[in-house]
mmCIF file of all heavy atoms in Angstrom:
data_model
loop_
_atom_site.group_PDB
_atom_site.id
_atom_site.type_symbol
_atom_site.label_atom_id
_atom_site.label_comp_id
_atom_site.label_asym_id
_atom_site.label_seq_id
_atom_site.Cartn_x
_atom_site.Cartn_y
_atom_site.Cartn_z
ATOM 1 N N GLY A 112 0.805 -1.215 0.000
ATOM 2 C CA GLY A 112 0.000 0.000 0.000
ATOM 3 C C GLY A 112 0.835 1.260 0.000
ATOM 4 O O GLY A 112 1.962 1.291 -0.497
ATOM 5 N N TYR A 113 0.293 2.309 0.612
ATOM 6 C CA TYR A 113 0.923 3.631 0.601
ATOM 7 C C TYR A 113 1.295 4.062 2.015
ATOM 8 O O TYR A 113 0.529 3.850 2.967
ATOM 9 C CB TYR A 113 -0.034 4.680 0.031
ATOM 10 C CG TYR A 113 -0.576 4.359 -1.339
ATOM 11 C CD1 TYR A 113 -1.853 3.821 -1.485
ATOM 12 C CD2 TYR A 113 0.174 4.594 -2.487
ATOM 13 C CE1 TYR A 113 -2.364 3.522 -2.740
ATOM 14 C CE2 TYR A 113 -0.319 4.308 -3.742
ATOM 15 C CZ TYR A 113 -1.586 3.766 -3.870
ATOM 16 O OH TYR A 113 -2.084 3.468 -5.102
ATOM 17 N N ALA A 114 2.468 4.679 2.145
ATOM 18 C CA ALA A 114 2.817 5.363 3.388
ATOM 19 C C ALA A 114 2.036 6.677 3.402
ATOM 20 O O ALA A 114 2.192 7.508 2.500
ATOM 21 C CB ALA A 114 4.320 5.615 3.463
ATOM 22 N N VAL A 115 1.174 6.860 4.396
ATOM 23 C CA VAL A 115 0.241 7.987 4.408
ATOM 24 C C VAL A 115 0.960 9.331 4.349
ATOM 25 O O VAL A 115 0.637 10.197 3.527
ATOM 26 C CB VAL A 115 -0.671 7.906 5.655
ATOM 27 C CG1 VAL A 115 -1.486 9.184 5.806
ATOM 28 C CG2 VAL A 115 -1.590 6.691 5.565
ATOM 29 N N THR A 116 1.942 9.525 5.221
ATOM 30 C CA THR A 116 2.643 10.811 5.258
ATOM 31 C C THR A 116 3.393 11.073 3.962
ATOM 32 O O THR A 116 3.368 12.190 3.425
ATOM 33 C CB THR A 116 3.623 10.858 6.440
ATOM 34 O OG1 THR A 116 2.876 10.751 7.665
ATOM 35 C CG2 THR A 116 4.415 12.160 6.452
ATOM 36 N N GLU A 117 4.043 10.054 3.436
ATOM 37 C CA GLU A 117 4.793 10.219 2.189
ATOM 38 C C GLU A 117 3.868 10.586 1.037
ATOM 39 O O GLU A 117 4.174 11.487 0.240
ATOM 40 C CB GLU A 117 5.540 8.926 1.867
ATOM 41 C CG GLU A 117 6.386 9.003 0.609
ATOM 42 C CD GLU A 117 7.123 7.705 0.336
ATOM 43 O OE1 GLU A 117 7.422 6.974 1.311
ATOM 44 O OE2 GLU A 117 7.395 7.416 -0.842
ATOM 45 N N LEU A 118 2.719 9.908 0.947
ATOM 46 C CA LEU A 118 1.782 10.209 -0.132
ATOM 47 C C LEU A 118 1.190 11.598 0.026
ATOM 48 O O LEU A 118 1.026 12.339 -0.954
ATOM 49 C CB LEU A 118 0.666 9.161 -0.171
ATOM 50 C CG LEU A 118 -0.336 9.295 -1.319
ATOM 51 C CD1 LEU A 118 0.368 9.276 -2.676
ATOM 52 C CD2 LEU A 118 -1.374 8.177 -1.249
ATOM 53 N N ARG A 119 0.885 11.996 1.260
ATOM 54 C CA ARG A 119 0.373 13.351 1.509
ATOM 55 C C ARG A 119 1.382 14.397 1.072
ATOM 56 O O ARG A 119 1.031 15.398 0.433
ATOM 57 C CB ARG A 119 0.045 13.510 2.995
ATOM 58 C CG ARG A 119 -0.657 14.825 3.360
ATOM 59 C CD ARG A 119 0.313 15.869 3.843
ATOM 60 N NE ARG A 119 1.065 15.416 4.990
ATOM 61 C CZ ARG A 119 2.183 15.990 5.414
ATOM 62 N NH1 ARG A 119 2.691 17.028 4.772
ATOM 63 N NH2 ARG A 119 2.836 15.518 6.466
ATOM 64 N N MET A 120 2.664 14.164 1.341
ATOM 65 C CA MET A 120 3.697 15.111 0.945
ATOM 66 C C MET A 120 3.839 15.169 -0.577
ATOM 67 O O MET A 120 4.054 16.242 -1.149
ATOM 68 C CB MET A 120 5.029 14.731 1.597
ATOM 69 C CG MET A 120 5.039 14.913 3.117
ATOM 70 S SD MET A 120 6.544 14.296 3.914
ATOM 71 C CE MET A 120 7.758 15.429 3.252
ATOM 72 N N HIS A 121 3.697 14.022 -1.237
ATOM 73 C CA HIS A 121 3.743 14.011 -2.699
ATOM 74 C C HIS A 121 2.598 14.847 -3.275
ATOM 75 O O HIS A 121 2.792 15.616 -4.229
ATOM 76 C CB HIS A 121 3.651 12.582 -3.219
ATOM 77 C CG HIS A 121 4.952 11.835 -3.195
ATOM 78 N ND1 HIS A 121 6.103 12.313 -3.775
ATOM 79 C CD2 HIS A 121 5.271 10.633 -2.656
ATOM 80 C CE1 HIS A 121 7.088 11.445 -3.596
ATOM 81 N NE2 HIS A 121 6.604 10.425 -2.918
ATOM 82 N N LEU A 122 1.399 14.701 -2.702
ATOM 83 C CA LEU A 122 0.261 15.468 -3.204
ATOM 84 C C LEU A 122 0.454 16.960 -2.974
ATOM 85 O O LEU A 122 0.041 17.780 -3.799
ATOM 86 C CB LEU A 122 -1.037 14.995 -2.552
ATOM 87 C CG LEU A 122 -1.557 13.621 -2.975
ATOM 88 C CD1 LEU A 122 -2.946 13.384 -2.408
ATOM 89 C CD2 LEU A 122 -1.590 13.475 -4.489
ATOM 90 N N GLU A 123 1.057 17.335 -1.864
ATOM 91 C CA GLU A 123 1.350 18.751 -1.615
ATOM 92 C C GLU A 123 2.235 19.314 -2.723
ATOM 93 O O GLU A 123 2.011 20.429 -3.209
ATOM 94 C CB GLU A 123 2.038 18.918 -0.255
ATOM 95 C CG GLU A 123 1.091 18.819 0.926
ATOM 96 C CD GLU A 123 1.782 19.117 2.238
ATOM 97 O OE1 GLU A 123 3.030 19.272 2.244
ATOM 98 O OE2 GLU A 123 1.096 19.191 3.261
ATOM 99 N N GLN A 124 3.240 18.534 -3.139
ATOM 100 C CA GLN A 124 4.127 18.991 -4.212
ATOM 101 C C GLN A 124 3.397 19.019 -5.551
ATOM 102 O O GLN A 124 3.551 19.961 -6.335
ATOM 103 C CB GLN A 124 5.347 18.072 -4.297
ATOM 104 C CG GLN A 124 6.272 18.184 -3.098
ATOM 105 C CD GLN A 124 7.462 17.258 -3.215
ATOM 106 O OE1 GLN A 124 7.351 16.139 -3.711
ATOM 107 N NE2 GLN A 124 8.611 17.708 -2.761
ATOM 108 N N ILE A 125 2.580 18.013 -5.805
ATOM 109 C CA ILE A 125 1.848 17.942 -7.067
ATOM 110 C C ILE A 125 0.920 19.148 -7.222
ATOM 111 O O ILE A 125 0.841 19.767 -8.284
ATOM 112 C CB ILE A 125 1.046 16.634 -7.155
ATOM 113 C CG1 ILE A 125 1.995 15.449 -7.356
ATOM 114 C CG2 ILE A 125 0.018 16.680 -8.287
ATOM 115 C CD1 ILE A 125 1.349 14.094 -7.141
ATOM 116 N N MET A 126 0.205 19.487 -6.146
ATOM 117 C CA MET A 126 -0.738 20.602 -6.203
ATOM 118 C C MET A 126 -0.077 21.954 -5.955
ATOM 119 O O MET A 126 -0.712 23.000 -6.097
ATOM 120 C CB MET A 126 -1.872 20.379 -5.190
ATOM 121 C CG MET A 126 -2.784 19.224 -5.555
ATOM 122 S SD MET A 126 -4.257 19.112 -4.494
ATOM 123 C CE MET A 126 -3.526 18.530 -2.962
ATOM 124 N N GLY A 127 1.200 21.940 -5.570
ATOM 125 C CA GLY A 127 1.916 23.190 -5.323
ATOM 126 C C GLY A 127 1.553 23.852 -4.012
ATOM 127 O O GLY A 127 1.734 25.055 -3.850
ATOM 128 N N LEU A 128 1.054 23.084 -3.055
ATOM 129 C CA LEU A 128 0.592 23.677 -1.801
ATOM 130 C C LEU A 128 1.732 24.217 -0.953
ATOM 131 O O LEU A 128 1.504 25.027 -0.048
ATOM 132 C CB LEU A 128 -0.198 22.635 -0.985
ATOM 133 C CG LEU A 128 -1.437 22.041 -1.656
ATOM 134 C CD1 LEU A 128 -2.156 21.104 -0.699
ATOM 135 C CD2 LEU A 128 -2.382 23.137 -2.133
ATOM 136 N N ASP A 129 2.950 23.765 -1.234
ATOM 137 C CA ASP A 129 4.093 24.221 -0.445
ATOM 138 C C ASP A 129 4.738 25.478 -1.017
ATOM 139 O O ASP A 129 5.684 26.006 -0.456
ATOM 140 C CB ASP A 129 5.140 23.097 -0.343
ATOM 141 C CG ASP A 129 5.555 22.552 -1.711
ATOM 142 O OD1 ASP A 129 4.866 22.856 -2.704
ATOM 143 O OD2 ASP A 129 6.541 21.805 -1.774
ATOM 144 N N ALA A 130 4.204 25.987 -2.131
ATOM 145 C CA ALA A 130 4.833 27.130 -2.802
ATOM 146 C C ALA A 130 4.367 28.479 -2.259
ATOM 147 O O ALA A 130 5.070 29.474 -2.368
ATOM 148 C CB ALA A 130 4.560 27.068 -4.307
ATOM 149 N N LEU A 131 3.172 28.546 -1.685
ATOM 150 C CA LEU A 131 2.585 29.777 -1.150
ATOM 151 C C LEU A 131 2.587 30.911 -2.168
ATOM 152 O O LEU A 131 3.347 31.883 -2.074
ATOM 153 C CB LEU A 131 3.290 30.208 0.140
ATOM 154 C CG LEU A 131 3.095 29.285 1.348
ATOM 155 C CD1 LEU A 131 3.743 29.876 2.585
ATOM 156 C CD2 LEU A 131 1.620 29.005 1.603
ATOM 157 N N LEU A 132 1.725 30.774 -3.153
ATOM 158 C CA LEU A 132 1.599 31.786 -4.194
ATOM 159 C C LEU A 132 1.007 33.080 -3.626
ATOM 160 O O LEU A 132 0.065 33.035 -2.832
ATOM 161 C CB LEU A 132 0.698 31.264 -5.315
ATOM 162 C CG LEU A 132 1.208 30.023 -6.060
ATOM 163 C CD1 LEU A 132 0.115 29.477 -6.968
ATOM 164 C CD2 LEU A 132 2.453 30.352 -6.847
ATOM 165 N N PRO A 133 1.531 34.234 -4.029
ATOM 166 C CA PRO A 133 1.004 35.510 -3.524
ATOM 167 C C PRO A 133 -0.387 35.801 -4.086
ATOM 168 O O PRO A 133 -0.632 35.662 -5.284
ATOM 169 C CB PRO A 133 2.026 36.536 -4.018
ATOM 170 C CG PRO A 133 2.676 35.889 -5.204
ATOM 171 C CD PRO A 133 2.682 34.422 -4.936
ATOM 172 N N ALA A 134 -1.297 36.208 -3.200
ATOM 173 C CA ALA A 134 -2.690 36.447 -3.589
ATOM 174 C C ALA A 134 -3.229 37.702 -2.918
ATOM 175 O O ALA A 134 -2.717 38.152 -1.892
ATOM 176 C CB ALA A 134 -3.553 35.247 -3.209
ATOM 177 N N ILE A 135 -4.291 38.254 -3.522
ATOM 178 C CA ILE A 135 -4.992 39.396 -2.949
ATOM 179 C C ILE A 135 -6.486 39.110 -2.946
ATOM 180 O O ILE A 135 -6.955 38.205 -3.654
ATOM 181 C CB ILE A 135 -4.715 40.698 -3.723
ATOM 182 C CG1 ILE A 135 -5.069 40.517 -5.209
ATOM 183 C CG2 ILE A 135 -3.272 41.133 -3.550
ATOM 184 C CD1 ILE A 135 -4.887 41.771 -6.045
ATOM 185 N N LEU A 136 -7.225 39.865 -2.149
ATOM 186 C CA LEU A 136 -8.679 39.719 -2.077
ATOM 187 C C LEU A 136 -9.325 41.051 -2.414
ATOM 188 O O LEU A 136 -8.916 42.091 -1.877
ATOM 189 C CB LEU A 136 -9.104 39.239 -0.688
ATOM 190 C CG LEU A 136 -10.590 38.925 -0.501
ATOM 191 C CD1 LEU A 136 -10.773 37.724 0.422
ATOM 192 C CD2 LEU A 136 -11.341 40.130 0.068
ATOM 193 N N ILE A 137 -10.296 41.015 -3.308
ATOM 194 C CA ILE A 137 -11.000 42.222 -3.729
ATOM 195 C C ILE A 137 -12.436 42.169 -3.219
ATOM 196 O O ILE A 137 -13.206 41.279 -3.580
ATOM 197 C CB ILE A 137 -11.016 42.351 -5.269
ATOM 198 C CG1 ILE A 137 -9.618 42.158 -5.853
ATOM 199 C CG2 ILE A 137 -11.605 43.693 -5.678
ATOM 200 C CD1 ILE A 137 -8.614 43.180 -5.423
ATOM 201 N N GLY A 138 -12.786 43.122 -2.363
ATOM 202 C CA GLY A 138 -14.127 43.173 -1.791
ATOM 203 C C GLY A 138 -14.119 42.793 -0.326
ATOM 204 O O GLY A 138 -14.068 41.615 0.011
ATOM 205 N N ALA A 139 -14.155 43.785 0.552
ATOM 206 C CA ALA A 139 -14.042 43.549 1.996
ATOM 207 C C ALA A 139 -15.384 43.633 2.703
ATOM 208 O O ALA A 139 -15.449 43.901 3.899
ATOM 209 C CB ALA A 139 -13.065 44.547 2.616
ATOM 210 N N GLY A 140 -16.471 43.400 1.966
ATOM 211 C CA GLY A 140 -17.793 43.396 2.581
ATOM 212 C C GLY A 140 -18.028 42.131 3.389
ATOM 213 O O GLY A 140 -17.088 41.450 3.793
ATOM 214 N N SER A 141 -19.291 41.803 3.603
ATOM 215 C CA SER A 141 -19.614 40.667 4.471
ATOM 216 C C SER A 141 -19.045 39.354 3.933
ATOM 217 O O SER A 141 -18.486 38.541 4.683
ATOM 218 C CB SER A 141 -21.130 40.554 4.644
ATOM 219 O OG SER A 141 -21.782 40.464 3.388
#
């Protein structure tokens, strides 16, 4: 099977979750 932590880390790299892309939010209402 799969090592859970190892597979989770692979998915983070695949989706780019570890890169922290710069973002902004437009619209500060409710």
Side-chain angles (χ1 to χ4, degrees):
Y113 305 100
V115 171
T116 297
E117 182 179 332
L118 184 56
R119 187 264 302 163
M120 292 174 66
H121 279 307
L122 289 189
E123 283 185 353
Q124 292 180 323
I125 289 167
M126 292 188 288
L128 301 184
D129 54 347
L131 293 185
L132 297 170
I135 55 177
L136 185 143
I137 311 297
S141 55

